[in-house]
Amino acid sequence: MPRPSHLDFDQVVASGVSRSYGRRRALRHVSLCCRGGEIVGLVGPNGAGKSTLLGVLSTLAEPSFGEVRYGKWTARGAGTRLRAQIGFLSHELQLYPELTARENLAFFAGMYGLDKVDARVEAALETAALSDRADDVVEGFSRGMRQRLALERALLHTPRLVLLDEPFTGLDESAVAALMHRLSLLRTDGRIVLVVTHDLDTVDGLLDRALMLRHGRIRELPATGTLRERYRVEVQEASSKLGGVSA
Amino acid sequence: MTRFLQVVWLVVRKDLRVESRNKEMLVTTLFFAVSCVMVFAFAFVRGGRAVDGAAAGVLWIAVAFAGTLALGRAFERERYQDALRGLLLAPVDRPAIYLGKLSGLLLLLAVVELVVVLMVALMFQAPLFEHPFRMLALLALGTLGFASVGTLFSAMLVRTRSRAVLLPVLLYPVTIPVLIMGVSGTNVLWQPEPDLAMVQLWTSLLLFFDAVFLTLALWTFEPVMTE
């Protein structure tokens, strides 16, 4: 298949994705579909494979088995242009602490080959409520400020697929509200948003669907009840099936 | 091609900017290289005369050790806060990232070598200015060969726990030919009556090794960086 000059897609489909690290299997036959205009939550205990799944979906890691399709494209088939449509905020914030907020954003804007860099950077700084600290080095920022900056870095190129790993970490109440509003706007804009989180109460009501990943296997949580209740029921069911293995 | 070079420049500029703020690599490598030359000067210079051939060896040992120190740090700053993943996610040809990191490292080593070469010339009475361009070619090609392999290994090992131990273990066996050619060429060049044909031979061999190393590194960087 020839490589596209401009690439876009309206859904991401993972089919039977497994990923092993040596003898340890982090993901086991994971299949999921995320569509444009929906926010999907990915929950699960520590070590369940959530970050590994984000790594695979972001094209940073290749699945050991199975494949991920971005619309009609695979990561291998689409090449580097696919990465222009992926925004990834990982738990580690992927910022350079010695650079200022403005320099960090400008650097990544350059790496993504964006036009109107100054205007985009200014807008991102304003959205992150960091305009007054734009020329301060990131080293001196609080976790919440870094988190806001990292989120803007991940969204700077208006990606189609937005992958967020624990985006609420370190945010105060107003910043959480601002992020929730931001995610709602991304949904309205037709973006595909996948959020990994432990903040079940925070995202309850925001998510269109919730998936649970446990021991490398994925299941969709039922639609009724609060997210915490649904999560608890699912964990209990899974534990009883496994003969009482704790969550 | 323009985009490729633009990415190389972006990475170099970013690294230089970071280095200008913390001066971490420059200070440590320079301090280490200068100390190295000083210690060897006390050992190999007797009564104002250097042991025959010692100057070339000391120069390249200082370059290799300081280079290893710099290589160890080159991807360390990308590891912090997982910035490397941010780089790898960008829609760019990954060899451009490699070339950017390599170029930044070469600039740093050029500063270190400037000081080290002058120190060696001073302490070992090496005829540095007899054939300055041949000396420059030997140094530049030797450093390029050493750093091109080192940058690839440094990137490969960035996610491993014992990278500080593994880097020299992997690096030196592969780059020994480059160091030997550098020492041999410099040694011939710093003789009272240098055999310029031999110097030319060593320089050509270095050029050949550089071409091989650089090609292999550019070719393997993408698969090496895919998890």
Side-chain angles (χ1 to χ4, degrees):
Chain A
M1 192 176 283
R3 294 198 168 182
S5 58
H6 175 73
L7 186 148
D8 203 359
F9 49 90
D10 57 1
Q11 64 174 13
V12 176
V13 179
S15 311
V17 168
S18 297
R19 170 73 200 192
S20 303
Y21 293 102
R23 292 169 64 184
R24 191 175 71 81
R25 292 185 79 177
L27 297 175
R28 294 163 188 266
H29 310 293
V30 170
S31 295
L32 63 87
C33 175
C34 301
R35 295 175 193 85
E38 70 173 359
I39 303 175
V40 179
L42 184 62
V43 297
N46 294 329
K50 302 186 295 292
S51 297
T52 303
L53 181 56
L54 287 195
V56 170
L57 293 176
S58 69
T59 73
L60 281 171
E62 283 188 350
S64 309
F65 296 103
E67 68 165 12
V68 182
R69 295 195 82 86
Y70 306 81
K72 60 182 177 178
W73 304 103
T74 61
R76 209 175 273 266
T80 57
R81 288 180 191 279
L82 176 62
R83 297 203 291 266
Q85 290 291 359
I86 298 173
F88 185 19
L89 171 67
S90 78
H91 190 59
E92 300 282 342
L93 298 178
Q94 300 170 354
L95 297 168
Y96 294 97
E98 298 90 349
L99 300 184
T100 66
R102 191 192 304 280
E103 287 166 349
N104 264 290
L105 292 173
F107 171 67
F108 283 102
M111 291 295 284
Y112 278 84
L114 304 179
D115 57 355
K116 299 172 190 161
V117 170
D118 290 344
R120 281 180 192 258
V121 168
E122 284 306 324
L125 286 166
E126 201 170 315
T127 312
L130 288 170
S131 296
D132 56 334
R133 301 288 302 270
D135 297 313
D136 290 353
V137 288
V138 169
E139 207 159 29
F141 285 10
S142 68
R143 169 76 200 195
M145 291 161 77
R146 288 181 195 206
Q147 187 82 10
R148 295 195 318 257
L149 181 65
L151 177 70
E152 291 313 313
R153 181 199 53 73
L155 299 177
L156 199 60
H157 54 294
T158 54
R160 174 63 60 192
L161 175 62
V162 180
L163 304 167
L164 306 173
D165 195 353
E166 298 289 357
F168 298 98
T169 306
L171 298 184
D172 60 24
E173 217 165 281
S174 62
V176 167
L179 175 56
M180 300 275 276
H181 179 62
R182 193 81 205 280
L183 294 178
S184 303
L185 290 179
L186 289 173
R187 170 167 48 201
T188 312
D189 200 27
R191 308 284 152 191
I192 307 165
V193 185
L194 185 65
V195 185
V196 166
T197 184
H198 288 290
D199 298 296
L200 302 181
D201 299 321
T202 307
V203 294
D204 204 0
L206 174 77
L207 303 180
D208 296 297
R209 286 190 295 132
L211 306 168
M212 191 179 84
L213 196 61
R214 193 158 176 270
H215 299 311
R217 295 179 196 279
I218 203 161
R219 292 185 66 165
E220 182 145 358
L221 293 180
T224 54
T226 66
L227 184 59
R228 186 168 290 283
E229 285 166 358
R230 289 184 274 158
Y231 178 72
R232 197 175 293 145
V233 168
E234 199 65 27
V235 167
Q236 281 168 355
E237 274 183 21
S239 296
S240 60
K241 277 181 193 166
L242 285 168
V245 177
S246 66
Chain B
M1 193 60 187
T2 317
R3 175 76 184 132
F4 187 91
L5 293 176
Q6 192 188 4
V7 173
V8 173
W9 168 238
L10 278 169
V11 175
V12 173
R13 193 177 60 174
K14 184 267 297 173
D15 275 356
L16 291 180
R17 194 168 270 165
V18 170
E19 187 57 34
S20 74
R21 301 261 159 88
N22 61 20
K23 297 179 183 64
E24 184 186 29
M25 280 165 70
L26 185 65
V27 169
T28 49
T29 49
L30 201 54
F31 186 76
F32 186 81
V34 166
S35 305
C36 205
V37 175
M38 295 270 285
V39 169
F40 281 122
F42 277 100
F44 293 130
V45 181
R46 300 275 164 79
R49 283 184 57 85
V51 174
D52 191 33
V58 170
L59 170 67
W60 283 95
I61 282 176
V63 168
F65 285 1
T68 310
L69 206 62
L71 284 166
R73 297 296 304 164
F75 275 86
E76 194 66 22
R77 66 175 49 139
E78 305 298 339
R79 205 177 69 87
Y80 186 71
Q81 294 207 352
D82 210 9
L84 182 61
R85 280 185 147 202
L87 276 186
L88 296 176
L89 263 175
V92 299
D93 290 329
R94 286 178 178 165
I97 298 173
Y98 165 82
L99 270 188
K101 297 298 291 183
L102 174 63
S103 306
L105 204 74
L106 288 173
L107 286 173
L108 175 95
L109 288 177
V111 175
V112 173
E113 282 173 8
L114 184 70
V115 176
V116 168
V117 165
L118 287 173
M119 271 191 78
V120 170
L122 193 72
M123 293 183 154
F124 291 80
Q125 292 104 43
L128 182 63
F129 299 107
E130 294 283 310
H131 301 279
F133 293 110
R134 288 179 189 274
M135 186 63 231
L136 192 67
L138 278 171
L139 260 181
L141 292 172
T143 311
L144 176 62
F146 185 80
S148 60
V149 180
T151 305
L152 179 69
F153 285 169
S154 179
M156 267 168 64
L157 296 171
V158 71
R159 294 190 191 95
T160 57
R161 205 175 300 163
S162 48
R163 58 191 164 278
V165 179
L166 282 173
L167 181 62
V169 170
L170 288 173
L171 181 62
Y172 290 134
V174 179
T175 54
I176 275 292
V178 168
L179 295 176
I180 290 174
M181 287 171 212
V183 171
S184 304
T186 310
N187 200 22
V188 175
L189 194 65
W190 282 353
Q191 294 300 315
E193 287 179 19
D195 180 351
L196 294 180
M198 277 304 286
V199 176
Q200 185 63 46
L201 175 71
W202 290 120
T203 310
S204 304
L205 278 172
L206 272 175
L207 188 64
F208 171 74
F209 266 76
D210 284 1
V212 172
F213 284 166
L214 205 56
T215 307
L216 283 176
L218 286 168
W219 188 36
T220 52
F221 188 74
E222 167 97 39
V224 157
M225 296 318 290
T226 304
E227 290 173 32

